Amino acid sequence: MPPQLKTLLPLMVVFIGLFILARHFLIPESFGKYGHYRANSMDEIAAIPANYAGKAKCVECHEPEATKLDSDLHSGLTCEVCHGPGAQHILDPKIKGTLLKPGSREFCGTCHSLNPARKTEVINQIDTKEHHPEKSNCIDCHNPHAVWELKE
């Protein structure tokens, strides 16, 4: 046996032993039960309170807005995409401060500003610097629930 192996072999055995020992203490007990993730995380995630109510809950009280939205280009979006999580509002409708009422150029520009990577057939894009620069909010002219319905 070469002299290098006499030194390296015990070091390799110690390294592998330390690796197995560290792995035993660092990998969670439920890891690998249902695949390559921690099974207990499902229970932990299920215990987190829901923040989103869903479009069906919004429609119960806001039917006119939902009807307009369903007939327009934003029909594929849920209410909470723009207005934020609505679970607290559903539990207590007096809590209106929890919902957003966005309409700024920055907010609408998140989806509608010019972006060569986006398909123009899917999302209407505008140059937010050139499109009516005197207006600060898109909702001054556009109804977000029916975007082609211009306000006067």
Side-chain angles (χ1 to χ4, degrees), residues 101-141:
K101 191 173 180 184
S104 67
R105 287 181 171 278
E106 293 78 28
F107 182 82
C108 297
T110 303
C111 297
H112 294 288
S113 62
L114 291 176
N115 182 344
R118 276 192 212 118
K119 291 185 176 184
T120 54
E121 307 85 45
V122 179
I123 299 174
N124 187 32
Q125 297 180 40
I126 59 160
D127 185 352
T128 54
K129 293 179 181 131
E130 297 293 323
H131 183 75
H132 296 288
E134 72 280 359
K135 301 281 186 180
S136 60
N137 288 322
C138 299
I139 60 173
D140 291 344
C141 296

Side-chain angles (χ1 to χ4, degrees), residues 58-83:
C58 299
V59 172
E60 288 176 11
C61 298
H62 303 281
E63 174 92 34
E65 290 84 0
T67 303
K68 279 187 173 184
L69 185 66
D70 285 341
S71 68
D72 203 62
L73 295 174
H74 287 157
S75 63
L77 301 178
T78 63
C79 306
E80 293 163 312
V81 168
C82 295
H83 295 291

